[in-house]
Amino acid sequence: MSIIADNNEFQNNTIMEKKKHSVIKPECSDNDRNFENSIRPKSFESYIGQTALKETLKISIAAAKKRGLPLDHLLFYGPPGLGKTTLAGVIAEQMGVDIKITSAPALERPRDIIGILMSLKGGEILFIDEIHRLNKVAEEILYPAMEDFFLDMTTGKSQTVKTLRIPLPKFTLIGATTKAGELSGPLRDRFGIIHRLEFYTEEELARVITRTAGILNIEITEEGAKAIAKRSRGTPRIANRLVKRVSDYALVKHDGKITKDIANKSLDILKIDNFGLDNTDRSLLKLIIEKYDGGPVGIETIAAAIGEDVRTIEDVCEPFLLQSGLLQRTPRGRKISPAAYRHLGYKNGEINEQQCLF
Ligand code: ADE
């Protein structure tokens, strides 16, 4: 079965290069990363979802192979957890080349980016996560490297300054960002292919969940997978985390098998509601309703009041709240939508305790 094949496929996952260049995400711990690596699909066939994007990528890959050239530089953007790193790994596999993975915060000093560029071999892929966080110096080192495959280095001081052009092998840069708008124009313009990753449908997430459960030897019914998918806010990373949590519950309270009933009970205990919102999301929405009359209110005020940092709210909570129409972003701040009042059980500005989910 394909699940077994997928499992073997990833036993020797070497996608992460050196520790220094491993991806650091605020919402992703070391444990999460190891888990994610163990279940990452390696081929377009086992990568579920992003159907239109996969088709265009297959064409770009086939064309690059026919020309005998590396793929154009690629930029992936979209909310976290939708599979940008995974897709970069699939592309490397399909191109038959190695991938070096790093993130912009790990490229603090010029020598960090110079070192990684000089370590690349012909055709290899360099993946830079959170590329919007690259500093100006690193960006300027990248421009000639991306455009002409050269490193421009200066040596000496004032009058004796010399510029050296060091040739680099042709490589492909894959950049990933949750904030395409924060990328500088010159950097964005150097990517030949730019794609947005979309939230997953419930049906796609149920397939991701079934696949992950198969790899982890967790028994799950179709309805159980659908129940988890419904509360995974369109995000495979969340779906995969929930499978593990629900599996713990199923093992301790029952026979280990995830059914619809077990999934729902376990997710209720985790306080994940039927929209996939957790305590933080609900606190954010309730704060705007109760203290700011539905908004608009500034993001800094919200962050201080609920004790989260602005970046976590912007990168982790907001994309799904905005996409699902519960929250609106206006020039004067965040505003609650009528759907959020209904979802949280408010009627005429008052909370209805019977309807209140948690
Ligand atoms: N695990 C995480 N993302 C996935 C995807 N898109 N397809 C299959 N398994 C996944």
Side-chain angles (χ1 to χ4, degrees):
M1 250 172 82
S2 65
I3 284 168
I4 307 290
D6 282 339
N7 196 5
N8 292 337
E9 213 180 26
F10 260 73
Q11 299 228 312
N12 292 318
N13 196 315
T14 53
I15 199 166
M16 289 294 171
E17 249 263 316
K18 292 180 212 148
K19 184 79 188 143
K20 182 171 186 310
H21 292 294
S22 59
V23 181
I24 312 295
K25 288 186 184 157
E27 72 286 12
C28 203
S29 68
D30 271 356
N31 263 349
D32 284 342
R33 263 193 302 283
N34 293 341
F35 167 59
E36 279 189 21
N37 282 337
S38 71
I39 57 168
R40 272 188 211 284
K42 251 193 164 184
S43 64
F44 282 120
E45 288 65 41
S46 53
Y47 186 102
I48 296 156
Q50 311 295 342
T51 315
L53 170 54
K54 281 193 300 190
E55 289 314 308
T56 49
L57 287 175
K58 280 184 200 168
I59 303 227
S60 301
I61 291 171
K65 280 185 170 169
K66 256 191 164 169
R67 291 192 185 105
L69 289 172
L71 202 58
D72 274 353
H73 304 304
L74 258 155
L75 179 68
F76 289 141
Y77 69 98
L82 299 189
K84 296 187 271 298
T85 314
T86 307
L87 207 45
V90 170
I91 292 171
E93 192 65 29
Q94 301 302 303
M95 288 295 295
V97 298
D98 283 341
I99 178 166
K100 292 203 163 100
I101 297 194
T102 187
S103 72
L107 303 172
E108 211 180 316
R109 300 159 305 177
R111 72 168 119 135
D112 296 323
I113 182 99
I114 291 171
I116 200 159
L117 286 169
M118 291 192 57
S119 75
L120 292 172
K121 296 187 189 73
E124 273 186 0
I125 292 177
L126 171 61
F127 179 85
I128 305 183
D129 202 12
E130 300 190 74
I131 195 155
H132 61 277
R133 295 176 67 188
L134 216 53
N135 63 46
K136 204 77 220 117
V137 176
E139 251 191 44
E140 276 170 12
I141 293 169
L142 258 188
Y143 295 157
M146 288 175 77
E147 220 160 326
D148 307 316
F149 304 106
F150 272 106
L151 262 182
D152 283 333
M153 305 247 271
T154 47
T155 58
K157 279 186 192 151
S158 53
Q159 271 128 355
T160 61
V161 73
K162 274 195 198 142
T163 309
L164 281 177
R165 292 212 99 189
I166 303 170
L168 292 170
K170 289 201 166 69
F171 67 97
T172 299
L173 175 67
I174 303 184
T177 178
T178 50
K179 293 196 170 128
E182 285 187 15
L183 225 63
S184 74
L187 182 57
R188 199 173 42 239
D189 291 346
R190 283 171 171 84
F191 287 97
I193 310 171
I194 302 184
H195 287 295
R196 181 190 149 88
L197 273 80
E198 303 293 342
F199 281 112
Y200 289 57
T201 64
E202 279 176 27
E203 189 268 329
E204 287 166 345
L205 285 179
R207 280 162 53 210
V208 170
I209 289 163
T210 306
R211 174 182 178 273
T212 302
I215 293 171
L216 301 178
N217 275 325
I218 295 168
E219 211 186 330
I220 189 164
T221 65
E222 207 180 311
E223 293 304 312
K226 279 189 193 159
I228 300 176
K230 204 167 157 27
R231 303 202 203 186
S232 298
R233 45 197 305 159
T235 309
R237 179 181 294 153
I238 296 179
N240 285 334
R241 274 187 203 155
L242 293 181
V243 176
K244 287 216 299 183
R245 296 290 70 78
V246 174
S247 161
D248 291 348
Y249 179 85
L251 199 62
V252 172
K253 297 284 183 191
H254 297 271
D255 58 359
K257 181 172 169 179
I258 302 178
T259 60
K260 178 179 176 183
D261 186 46
I262 294 287
N264 283 334
K265 276 194 182 128
S266 159
L267 294 168
D268 284 348
I269 290 169
L270 291 169
K271 299 210 179 304
I272 295 168
D273 68 26
N274 53 10
F275 257 44
L277 308 193
D278 62 16
N279 274 335
T280 310
D281 303 310
R282 283 189 299 272
S283 308
L284 184 154
L285 297 175
K286 279 185 180 167
L287 173 90
I288 306 178
I289 291 175
E290 291 181 2
K291 298 267 184 337
Y292 299 95
D293 207 16
V297 54
I299 185 85
E300 279 85 10
T301 310
I302 298 173
I306 66 169
E308 280 289 349
D309 66 75
V310 171
R311 218 158 65 85
T312 306
I313 294 180
E314 283 184 337
D315 292 355
V316 184
C317 307
E318 271 194 349
F320 182 72
L321 295 176
L322 293 167
Q323 144 96 16
S324 54
L326 296 170
L327 192 68
Q328 290 159 357
R329 204 168 3 203
T330 74
R332 290 172 52 226
R334 275 52 172 182
K335 239 181 105 181
I336 292 293
S337 74
Y341 283 94
R342 283 196 301 276
H343 176 64
L344 293 172
Y346 285 86
K347 214 173 170 194
N348 304 326
E350 294 290 318
I351 191 133
N352 175 344
E353 293 297 339
Q354 260 104 52
Q355 262 184 282
C356 180
L357 285 159
F358 295 103

